[in-house]
Amino acid sequence: MEESGDCVEPEGLYGTYINSKIASKLPPVSPCRINGMDVLSLREPDGMLSALYGNDFLKPDRLWINGKWVKTN
């Protein structure tokens, strides 16, 4: 990829990142403020999270009940 020019390595604040013209693009983001910090957040993360983790991605697999973790399923 480097030889063909399809891959570049821009230097970022926290290190070197690979950027490829043939890689899939990240989903759209919007600026927001979390814990006093300005960050970028996915606009509609539910579709991507469902595809990666299933439709019940928000349902915990354990709950803290009476001082111990209890499996939900």
Side-chain angles (χ1 to χ4, degrees):
M1 286 175 58
E2 245 178 275
E3 291 172 5
S4 67
D6 288 332
C7 180
V8 294
E9 294 185 20
E11 291 292 323
L13 180 61
Y14 301 108
T16 301
Y17 301 95
I18 301 296
N19 183 17
S20 169
K21 290 190 269 181
I22 62 172
S24 60
K25 299 208 180 288
L26 292 173
V29 295
S30 297
C32 65
R33 194 163 185 82
I34 299 175
N35 291 335
M37 293 180 58
D38 293 322
V39 297
L40 295 174
S41 177
L42 297 175
R43 285 189 195 159
E44 297 177 14
D46 289 1
M48 184 178 72
L49 292 171
S50 292
L52 288 170
Y53 303 112
N55 290 332
D56 293 331
F57 68 91
L58 285 175
K59 183 180 176 190
D61 65 341
R62 290 177 172 80
L63 295 173
W64 185 256
I65 300 173
N66 297 325
K68 63 181 180 177
W69 288 106
V70 178
K71 264 189 110 114
T72 56
N73 285 348

